[in-house]
Amino acid sequence: LSLCCEACKKVIFHVPSELEADTLVGRVDLKECLQSAEFISSSDGNFKVLEDGSVYTTSALSLSAEKKTFTILLKDIQEQVQKKIHVDLVEQEKTTSKTRHARDTILKRTKRRWGPIPSVMIENSLGPFPLQIQQVQSDTAQNYTIYYSASGPGIDQDPKGLFYIERETGNIFATRAVDREQYPSFQIICFATTPDGYSPEVPLVHTIRIEDDNDNAPYFTQDLFEFCVPENSRPGVVVGKVIAEDRDEPYTLHTTLKYRIVSQTPPITPAFSLHGDTGVISVLLPQLDRELVPRYTLLVEVRDMAGQPFGLCTTGTVVIKLEDTNDNAPSFKQLQYETRVEENRVNVEILRVSVVDLDEPGTPGSGAVYEIIRGNDDQAFEITTDKNTNEGILCVVKGLDYETAKQRVLVIGVNNEAPYLLAPHSQQLSQSTCSVTVHVLDMDEGPVFKPCLLRLDVKECEDIGTAIGRFVAEDPETGNSEGIRYRIPPGQCNWINIDDKSGEVRTVRVLDRDIGEMRRGQCNVTVLAIDRNGKTGTGTIQVCIVPGNKNFPRITQTDYIMCRDRKPICLTAQDGDEAPYSAPFVYRITDRNLASMWKLTPHDDNSWYLSPKGDIPYGTYEIPVSVIDNGGKIGENTVRVNLCDCVTPSECDGRTRQLSGGNVTLGLWAILAMILGSLLLLLILITICGCCGAGVMHRQVTDDCANHNLIISNTEAPGEEVMDHNIIPLQNTCDQGGYGVKTGEQQTFEMVKGRGHTLESAKGGGHQTLGSVKEGGGQTMMDTCRYSYSEWHNFTHPRLGEKVHLCRQDEEQKHSEDYLLSYNYEGKGSLAGSVGCCSDQHEEEALDFLDQLEPKFRTLAETCIKR
């Protein structure tokens, strides 16, 4: 886009040689060149040009030559016109005329008349126009010829032509009236220039304020104010607030407003008050009853000038609606009702009742809630509310029986959905009620089971055909069961059947809870009752299988091995029945002989401990144990206990002596008989041995004899004299035919307790056997490890006779304690076992113990046998 550019004019400014930044150089009349300049620029960056033509320096500069030139460029883009104004700056001469000579002094003088106070113009002034409102003058007018001009709103900007300034005098005039609400003030810029264009004064911003006139009446912000307040509200409750505004100058009397209520509709006692300053409406009347006056209309006024009569005013409308509260209780239109219904009818509407409520319809305060207060103990009736009509609907939900009651009387009450609020200065009202008489109409009906559900408890495993009960129905008309037949419809569980005439119920299967569908233990059977007219009634039999005591308790494990520590055995029983026919169990040993040797002690409900009572012999015992469950059923069990001479059960190889039948008892006389028999057998053996070796009486006893028996014994010192009741003094040993060793004045034989018996005598400090003592003062004779029959007989016969005699005479059996000793359990034995089986053997033939040696001695025994 190329614009036509031409030089408009040339302007010369006389300025000092030194210019500071932002210094006014002069003013150029731009409109003489271009009326509408959209773009104004300077060709020299040290100068700027304002829209009014004022030229300022942008930085401090000095004129290096006497003359400086630059160009002001004006552009009108729409008209595509471009103008240039050439500006020459010429350094002023120091010896000029009087006006030029005093220039510097003028710039530094204090301005007094060039900054007047803001002007004031009355709004809507009546003139006469033009009306002078202010005058501006420059102090430099005393020395120069000054021309005044102005620009800004009201002069050359909208509203144009409202003000103008005289060129020579500086008087400012208004050409017409001004509306303050439209133009509250004006800011114009005044200029003072010399004829050659120099501006000795800085442009002056002058304010013209329009003084307000009360020419605007206040007005409400809404055409209609609507408020709501609950009825029966207390005085002082705020209802709402009205708001008014005024376009006049704020914070003056012209905008100081006052409110008041002009009138109220309906014109009764004033119900509301209006605050004059704030416009807040409050409740004034203590009783606002919506049922009497549902709404109020107020005519309110607002006036400025603080409500003075000469102020301007406006009126508005306020509508106040009273909100409903539940201050009116509902009441029945009728106090008594009657209706009819056929017996056995259900879910049928029989009556509608209605109420009157003065509260607002459709609100919780008027919504009715009905209830049956009396006469509905069996819950046969139900009443609900019809939301459309607010009526109560009475229905029968359970069939009525004419034979039981020919009529029913109900008492119905009514309330509201919302809680009742008591109005001020009123009394509490009681609940409104009405009575309803329901007549029951007789109808021909079918048989009825009483009760309709019969529960029959059947013991488990009852025989087939067992009668478990009767289920009969009655004719409601006659009250008896004549002519009624019974049957069970197919498709149900086939546990029972019913007699078609008597209604007797019997089992058709063995009811066992462990079989198939009977595991759940219950079955419901529907039974039909049919009268002569073919009418039917139904009932239900609930068959429940009661757990029975059908299983015997049994011990889960019956074979045990008990070692020498004789640790008690825990016997545990099981019973397939359920409580109360199972645990706790009671254990008993049924054999009296074994009961004296073994004992049972409780452990818990299912287990008992089995342990020996004393030191009973090793062997296998078959102990009969009966277990009794909580229902009294007895289960017989046989517990097999192998009492083995072992440390751990794995060492017992089953070679323990068997005791048939488990009848192992050793009484006192039996033990004595065993001892006598053993001694008799021993005497026979000694006699035989004596006959064989009678010719060899004087032989030395070699070590080889003892070595074969593994019983080498050394005496390292004399023994102590023992005073014991087992040592029997012999007054005359020769009469008895025995042998003795004289020690001092007395000869003694000592019988030592143990598994074997030895005959010993003490002489001096030595220890000798009977075989080494001979008649004639104790001469030593060696035998071949054998005693003669006469020697043993003379020694043992009187002693055994005396012992047997004492045992027979002693009822407390104190003497038998020497031979029958009971030992208590003292803990687990040594792993090495016992060597007592071979420590007291004196007979060469008694080598049976070698067959029962423990593993530790088997190698030694095999070595001896090889020798």
Side-chain angles (χ1 to χ4, degrees):
L1 177 63
S2 62
L3 301 178
C4 179
C5 182
E6 61 180 72
C8 177
K9 64 179 180 178
K10 184 176 181 181
V11 179
I12 300 174
F13 292 119
H14 295 274
V15 296
S17 59
E18 301 291 337
L19 294 175
E20 297 180 356
D22 296 326
T23 299
L24 179 63
V25 176
R27 184 170 180 271
V28 179
D29 190 357
L30 303 178
K31 293 185 178 181
E32 292 182 0
C33 289
L34 191 62
Q35 288 294 330
S36 58
E38 298 178 0
F39 180 78
I40 303 173
S41 64
S42 172
S43 61
D44 191 341
N46 292 323
F47 300 94
K48 63 180 179 179
V49 183
L50 303 183
E51 293 182 357
D52 59 356
S54 300
V55 180
Y56 287 88
T57 59
T58 58
S59 60
L61 58 88
S62 61
L63 299 179
S64 58
E66 294 183 355
K67 186 176 180 181
K68 184 176 181 62
T69 302
F70 64 92
T71 302
I72 298 174
L73 181 62
L74 305 177
K75 293 182 181 180
D76 187 347
I77 299 176
Q78 294 182 355
E79 298 294 336
Q80 298 184 3
V81 177
Q82 182 172 296
K83 298 287 186 179
K84 289 184 179 179
I85 300 176
H86 296 282
V87 179
D88 292 336
L89 299 182
V90 179
E91 183 180 2
Q92 66 182 11
E93 298 179 359
K94 296 182 180 179
T95 58
T96 58
S97 60
K98 180 179 179 181
T99 57
R100 301 301 182 196
H101 179 73
R103 183 175 181 86
D104 292 339
T105 305
I106 294 173
L107 291 175
K108 294 182 180 180
R109 289 179 57 190
T110 302
K111 278 64 174 184
R112 295 190 299 272
R113 304 177 63 191
W114 187 237
I117 62 175
S119 302
V120 177
M121 177 181 177
I122 302 299
E123 180 188 12
N124 300 322
S125 175
L126 299 179
F129 297 102
L131 176 64
Q132 182 180 353
I133 58 175
Q134 187 58 278
Q135 181 184 20
V136 294
Q137 286 187 335
S138 175
D139 292 339
T140 60
Q142 298 177 3
N143 302 320
Y144 303 99
T145 299
I146 300 297
Y147 295 123
Y148 299 97
S149 62
S151 66
I155 297 178
D156 54 358
Q157 298 178 15
D158 293 332
K160 296 179 179 180
L162 181 60
F163 303 102
Y164 70 91
I165 186 171
E166 287 185 342
R167 181 179 183 187
E168 292 79 8
T169 63
N171 293 329
I172 301 175
F173 292 90
T175 60
R176 60 184 183 272
V178 181
D179 186 4
R180 190 205 69 83
E181 286 70 38
Q182 187 176 6
Y183 302 106
S185 64
F186 296 90
Q187 286 187 342
I188 61 175
I189 301 176
C190 300
F191 303 94
T193 59
T194 59
D196 59 359
Y198 174 68
S199 298
E201 300 285 359
V202 176
L204 174 66
V205 178
H206 183 66
T207 300
I208 302 174
R209 186 175 64 84
I210 308 301
E211 185 174 345
D212 183 49
D213 180 31
N214 191 18
D215 59 340
N216 292 283
Y219 61 92
F220 287 102
T221 57
Q222 296 178 219
D223 295 336
L224 177 66
F225 292 92
E226 292 183 341
F227 303 109
C228 296
V229 64
E231 62 176 332
N232 300 317
S233 296
R234 296 191 304 257
V237 174
V238 175
V239 178
K241 180 180 180 180
V242 294
I243 300 174
E245 296 178 352
D246 197 321
R247 296 180 59 192
D248 290 326
E249 186 174 359
Y251 309 110
T252 64
L253 282 175
H254 298 165
T255 55
T256 303
L257 309 179
K258 286 288 185 180
Y259 302 90
R260 72 184 184 93
I261 297 176
V262 179
S263 62
Q264 172 185 292
T265 303
I268 55 176
T269 304
F272 303 96
S273 62
L274 177 62
H275 195 281
D277 295 330
T278 62
V280 174
I281 301 175
S282 304
V283 176
L284 181 63
L285 189 65
Q287 292 181 342
L288 294 177
D289 192 351
R290 188 203 65 85
E291 288 71 35
L292 296 178
V293 181
R295 60 187 289 169
Y296 291 85
T297 302
L298 305 179
L299 181 64
V300 295
E301 177 192 83
V302 59
R303 185 182 294 270
D304 60 13
M305 300 301 292
Q308 298 294 328
F310 52 83
L312 303 179
C313 65
T314 302
T315 58
T317 303
V318 178
V319 175
I320 301 175
K321 296 180 180 180
L322 298 184
E323 295 179 346
D324 182 49
T325 59
N326 190 21
D327 58 343
N328 294 281
S331 60
F332 285 99
K333 292 182 179 180
Q334 294 180 227
L335 298 181
Q336 291 184 351
Y337 294 86
E338 287 191 9
T339 186
R340 291 176 174 79
V341 63
E342 297 176 352
E343 64 174 336
N344 300 321
R345 292 286 301 277
V346 294
N347 298 325
V348 58
E349 177 184 334
I350 61 174
L351 182 65
R352 283 182 174 247
V353 295
S354 57
V355 295
V356 176
D357 197 322
L358 299 178
D359 292 319
E360 185 175 0
T363 62
S366 64
V369 178
Y370 300 90
E371 61 177 338
I372 301 175
I373 300 176
R374 289 193 304 272
N376 192 31
D377 297 335
D378 57 351
Q379 304 298 316
F381 298 91
E382 184 181 84
I383 188 168
T384 57
T385 303
D386 188 338
K387 297 298 182 180
N388 296 324
T389 62
N390 209 30
E391 293 177 327
I393 304 173
L394 182 63
C395 299
V396 177
V397 295
K398 289 184 180 180
L400 302 178
D401 188 5
Y402 174 82
E403 288 72 24
T404 303
K406 295 180 175 56
Q407 69 177 18
R408 300 283 294 272
V409 178
L410 306 177
V411 177
I412 300 176
V414 64
N415 291 306
N416 288 126
E417 297 176 5
Y420 178 74
L421 298 178
L422 186 63
H425 310 291
S426 61
Q427 296 181 353
Q428 181 71 40
L429 298 178
S430 60
Q431 183 184 23
S432 177
T433 60
C434 71
S435 64
V436 178
T437 302
V438 180
H439 298 281
V440 182
L441 303 180
D442 186 21
M443 301 295 292
D444 186 12
E445 52 191 338
V448 177
F449 285 98
K450 293 184 179 180
C452 60
L453 175 63
L454 176 64
R455 178 187 173 96
L456 296 178
D457 294 330
V458 185
K459 289 185 179 181
E460 191 174 8
C461 297
E462 288 281 4
D463 296 334
I464 297 176
T466 302
I468 59 176
R470 294 181 71 247
F471 195 35
V472 296
E474 295 180 356
D475 190 341
E477 309 296 333
T478 61
N480 55 51
S481 302
E482 295 181 1
I484 298 178
R485 293 185 175 275
Y486 308 93
R487 70 182 183 90
I488 297 177
Q492 306 182 72
C493 63
N494 56 346
W495 295 3
I496 61 172
N497 63 4
I498 187 170
D499 187 87
D500 62 344
K501 295 181 179 180
S502 63
E504 186 177 42
V505 181
R506 293 180 178 273
T507 60
V508 296
R509 299 176 63 185
V510 176
L511 305 185
D512 190 348
R513 292 169 61 93
D514 298 332
I515 299 177
E517 75 277 3
M518 298 184 187
R519 293 182 185 275
R520 62 181 182 271
Q522 180 177 314
C523 175
N524 293 336
V525 180
T526 301
V527 180
L528 299 179
I530 308 170
D531 62 8
R532 295 187 180 94
N533 298 327
K535 292 187 175 293
T536 61
T538 60
T540 303
I541 298 177
Q542 187 179 71
V543 182
C544 298
I545 303 176
V546 179
N549 196 8
K550 66 176 182 177
N551 296 297
F552 293 93
R554 60 182 182 85
I555 298 176
T556 56
Q557 181 180 349
T558 58
D559 289 335
Y560 296 92
I561 297 176
M562 179 180 289
C563 290
R564 68 165 64 100
D565 57 2
R566 308 202 178 193
K567 184 178 180 180
I569 298 171
C570 184
L571 302 180
T572 302
Q574 289 183 349
D575 194 329
D577 298 322
E578 298 180 0
Y581 300 112
S582 57
F585 300 119
V586 178
Y587 292 70
R588 295 287 186 268
I589 298 177
T590 56
D591 188 275
R592 295 182 60 185
N593 293 330
L594 290 175
S596 63
M597 303 174 64
W598 297 85
K599 63 179 179 180
L600 289 168
T601 55
H603 172 54
D604 55 26
D605 289 348
N606 295 324
S607 304
W608 284 47
Y609 285 123
L610 174 65
S611 60
K613 288 186 176 180
D615 189 11
I616 63 177
Y618 293 111
T620 301
Y621 297 85
E622 293 184 356
I623 307 171
V625 179
S626 63
V627 183
I628 308 172
D629 62 16
N630 197 37
K633 202 153 194 174
I634 303 174
E636 298 294 342
N637 302 266
T638 299
V639 179
R640 183 184 179 89
V641 180
N642 185 358
L643 182 57
C644 183
D645 186 11
C646 61
V647 178
T648 59
S650 60
E651 297 178 4
C652 189
D653 56 1
R655 292 181 299 175
T656 307
R657 180 170 52 91
Q658 303 290 327
L659 301 179
S660 60
N663 297 325
V664 183
T665 55
L666 295 177
L668 174 61
W669 299 111
I671 294 174
L672 290 177
M674 292 171 62
I675 294 174
L676 292 176
S678 300
L679 291 177
L680 182 59
L681 181 60
L682 182 60
L683 290 175
I684 296 172
L685 293 176
I686 292 173
T687 303
I688 297 172
C689 292
C691 293
C692 295
V696 196
M697 295 297 294
H698 303 281
R699 289 191 303 172
Q700 294 291 332
V701 178
T702 63
D703 292 340
D704 184 64
C705 180
N707 289 336
H708 283 291
N709 293 309
L710 303 177
I711 53 174
I712 297 176
S713 175
N714 294 324
T715 302
E716 299 178 357
E720 296 179 358
E721 184 177 358
V722 181
M723 299 302 294
D724 194 354
H725 64 275
N726 291 322
I727 301 176
I728 305 172
L730 302 179
Q731 301 298 332
N732 189 0
T733 58
C734 296
D735 295 340
Q736 300 295 334
Y739 300 90
V741 178
K742 184 175 180 59
T743 303
E745 297 295 329
Q746 186 180 10
Q747 292 180 340
T748 62
F749 281 89
E750 182 177 359
M751 182 178 291
V752 182
K753 294 179 291 182
R755 297 184 60 181
H757 299 278
T758 61
L759 303 177
E760 299 177 353
S761 61
K763 180 180 180 180
H767 190 270
Q768 297 175 329
T769 62
L770 181 61
S772 61
V773 180
K774 303 301 291 181
E775 298 179 1
Q779 182 180 357
T780 303
M781 293 182 295
M782 303 300 297
D783 197 1
T784 59
C785 300
R786 298 289 185 271
Y787 301 116
S788 65
Y789 171 77
S790 59
E791 292 174 336
W792 281 104
H793 182 270
N794 293 335
F795 174 75
T796 58
H797 187 268
R799 304 298 178 269
L800 291 175
E802 183 179 357
K803 285 293 182 180
V804 172
H805 176 73
L806 291 175
C807 291
R808 289 179 178 176
Q809 299 298 325
D810 186 8
E811 294 181 356
E812 297 181 358
Q813 300 181 0
K814 292 183 178 180
H815 291 280
S816 64
E817 294 178 355
D818 297 339
Y819 311 99
L820 301 178
L821 300 179
S822 298
Y823 296 92
N824 293 328
Y825 175 71
E826 298 181 356
K828 187 175 181 181
S830 172
L831 296 176
S834 174
V835 296
C837 61
C838 57
S839 61
D840 295 332
Q841 298 290 340
H842 292 279
E843 298 296 334
E844 184 177 6
E845 294 82 7
L847 300 179
D848 295 338
F849 65 91
L850 294 176
D851 296 332
Q852 298 182 1
L853 290 177
E854 293 189 2
K856 301 177 180 59
F857 293 95
R858 288 175 183 171
T859 303
L860 180 60
E862 292 174 356
T863 303
C864 294
I865 292 173
K866 290 178 182 180
R867 293 180 56 186

